[in-house]
Amino acid sequence: MTQSGKIPFWFSAPLLAVLFFHLVCESMVIPILAPTLAEPVSASHDMLAGYSAAAHKFVYGIALAAYPVLVFFCAPMIGALSDTAGRKPVLAAALVGTIIGCIGQGLGMELLSVGTFILGRVLVGATAGVDGVIQAALLDRCADEKSKNFYLGASLLAMSAGFMAGPAFAALLIDENASSGAWSIPFFALAPIFALTLFFVRKNVPQVATGEKRGKINPLSGLTDIAIFLKIKPARHLAAIFIFSEIAAGCIAALSPLVLADSFGFSVKQIALYMSLHGVFSSVMFALAGPKILEKFSKNFSLRLSMTLCIIAAILPFFDEIGGFIWANTFFMASGFGLSYYVILAMFADTADERRRGWLLSVMSSMWGLTMGIGLVLCGIAVGVSNGFCILISVVLCAVAFLMSLAKIRRFKISSAIPPDAVK
């Protein structure tokens, strides 16, 4: 229910904290898996001992993709459930699953067991589908468009800040020379942190339910909900731009540590720092630059600008002779992919009434999960040929998204285009 006035701090803070730590858990995985699974730094840290280099990189892509793919399957169900049963019980149940998933990932790293690690990552990914519910819970209490834009930006800022902090968090706790806990401590450390956020969510988030009857939960609702989007021409066009750009983002996310190590000689800690710097620029984009850009320019122009920056970000790793200038690519990646995500999310957020908001934002999380997962797996396959081949794929995807952004996208309304029973 929309309320007037400022959102209480103890309502918004724990929700934003969950978004922050979800992305800490997600972003710290890449600098941990790169030296243990993709290209092991030593036999004692090899999670897939005895297998070929191509197999290592393929499983690396699969392990990374497990999280966003489960977001894809679970986010729409979680969002629709929260629209009827209420935000609080759904948030609490999801956080319990996240705690168990963190422990599972830690055990997988401690035992060097790919299967155990992926199972833990699957559980964290499934429960991370609650991120759209958190955004909806914040927007539910906003009285005007300005407040909605502020808290949407705040939620994206919390996520980008978490992405920034994740690699640094891992780098501080990783000790490659330790006989135990070398790679598992970051995951074990996150479990009690999520337990603390669960305490505050239960204490400060009120239980509000619509009282509407909930239909049968469809495990393939990620696909069916996206199919609903595809029935609306403007949504179809915008969703296509999102899909191409996010698949490219997935490729680049998995490819970056490999290119940095192979072509630029980066160490594990340098890779973590590089990703953290990317997060810094993403935070600036969501907190300051993104809202200012949307105030000054149209959403259509902003989308084209973001796609241009995405192309630059994708093509720069081709040129290993640029040396230290590769650090500048953290700016282009954050500005391009961060701004495009922000603009597209803002475009879709404009389309829904309150009753459909949780569903809509969860579908966006689902679409992100599907496309990011495809990109991560695609990278795992493409780098088996060469890093350059994967870079080429990313550039082509960004170019297609840019060309599609040249067409003006008119405003549309989800409430008038989707029947009420479609969101149950």
Side-chain angles (χ1 to χ4, degrees):
M1 181 181 297
T2 302
Q3 300 178 2
S4 60
K6 185 178 180 181
I7 297 179
F9 174 80
W10 288 110
F11 176 88
S12 60
L15 297 180
L16 294 174
V18 174
L19 294 176
F20 174 84
F21 287 113
H22 268 163
L23 267 293
V24 167
C25 189
E26 167 62 0
S27 66
M28 74 182 190
V29 165
I30 294 178
I32 290 176
L33 285 184
T36 59
L37 183 55
E39 295 177 345
V41 294
S42 70
S44 61
H45 296 306
D46 190 348
M47 296 185 72
L48 211 59
Y51 287 83
S52 67
H56 276 77
K57 291 178 179 178
F58 177 72
V59 177
Y60 166 71
I62 295 295
L64 290 180
Y67 176 100
V69 167
L70 265 293
V71 170
F72 159 69
F73 279 109
C74 297
M77 293 185 287
I78 292 173
L81 181 61
S82 78
D83 281 341
T84 55
R87 314 294 188 205
K88 183 175 181 175
V90 173
L91 282 166
L95 282 168
V96 171
T98 300
I99 293 167
I100 298 172
C102 285
I103 295 172
Q105 288 180 99
L107 289 173
M109 296 308 305
E110 187 66 18
L111 301 173
L112 294 179
S113 168
V114 174
T116 303
F117 179 85
I118 291 179
L119 285 176
R121 188 157 167 79
V122 162
L123 188 53
V124 171
T127 54
V130 80
D131 289 353
V133 174
I134 292 173
Q135 291 174 323
L138 291 169
L139 297 187
D140 287 346
R141 296 174 69 94
C142 294
D144 52 45
E145 192 69 21
K146 184 177 180 180
S147 297
K148 290 177 182 178
N149 287 338
F150 173 81
Y151 281 102
L152 180 59
S155 69
L156 294 176
L157 173 60
M159 296 169 77
S160 64
F163 184 88
M164 169 189 69
F169 180 81
L172 288 173
L173 297 177
I174 288 172
D175 182 1
E176 298 176 40
N177 299 316
S179 58
S180 63
W183 307 97
S184 60
I185 294 299
F187 298 102
F188 289 139
L190 278 180
I193 292 175
F194 277 115
L196 186 62
T197 63
L198 172 60
F199 170 79
F200 283 109
V201 164
R202 289 179 59 85
K203 182 178 176 62
N204 297 293
V205 176
Q207 164 63 359
V208 179
T210 64
E212 295 180 8
K213 184 179 180 181
R214 174 173 53 84
K216 183 178 179 181
I217 293 179
N218 178 9
L220 296 179
S221 57
L223 290 172
T224 57
D225 288 343
I226 291 174
I228 292 171
F229 266 128
L230 297 181
K231 294 179 181 179
I232 311 166
K233 186 176 180 180
R236 184 164 63 241
H237 188 87
L238 188 57
I241 295 172
F242 181 85
I243 287 169
F244 284 116
S245 63
E246 289 302 308
I247 291 176
C251 282
I252 293 173
L255 176 67
S256 290
L258 305 182
V259 171
L260 293 173
D262 295 343
S263 300
F264 297 92
F266 276 36
S267 66
V268 173
K269 293 189 181 297
Q270 285 178 312
I271 292 172
L273 179 60
Y274 184 94
M275 294 182 63
S276 294
L277 185 59
H278 176 197
V280 169
F281 286 126
S282 295
S283 299
V284 172
M285 175 57 62
F286 291 136
L288 299 173
K292 292 295 183 183
I293 289 172
L294 289 186
E295 284 181 12
K296 190 172 181 62
F297 303 104
S298 70
K299 290 185 175 71
N300 281 277
F301 175 83
S302 300
L303 184 58
R304 293 164 196 155
L305 174 63
S306 70
M307 290 296 103
T308 302
L309 294 171
C310 285
I311 293 175
I312 296 173
I315 204 169
L316 277 181
F318 258 128
F319 308 105
D320 54 10
E321 63 269 17
I322 65 177
F325 186 74
I326 192 63
W327 287 94
N329 208 32
T330 58
F331 167 79
F332 292 112
M333 286 193 298
S335 300
F337 294 106
L339 180 60
S340 68
Y341 187 91
Y342 181 82
V343 173
I344 293 174
L345 194 62
M347 287 174 137
F348 274 123
D350 286 344
T351 69
D353 57 28
E354 183 176 308
R355 183 179 168 220
R356 292 166 174 79
R357 190 173 294 131
W359 172 81
L360 172 65
L361 293 174
S362 294
V363 170
M364 289 301 299
S365 293
S366 177
M367 289 176 61
W368 171 85
L370 174 64
T371 53
M372 183 64 67
I374 291 172
L376 294 171
V377 173
L378 182 60
C379 177
I381 296 172
V383 294
V385 178
S386 71
N387 289 346
F389 180 58
C390 190
I391 294 172
L392 177 62
I393 291 174
S394 301
V395 173
V396 170
L397 289 169
C398 290
V400 172
F402 170 76
L403 291 175
M404 294 190 70
S405 73
L406 296 178
K408 184 176 181 179
I409 301 170
R410 63 181 177 84
R411 296 189 67 175
F412 58 97
K413 280 293 182 183
I414 293 293
S415 57
S416 62
I418 294 181
D421 59 355
V423 302
K424 293 182 180 180

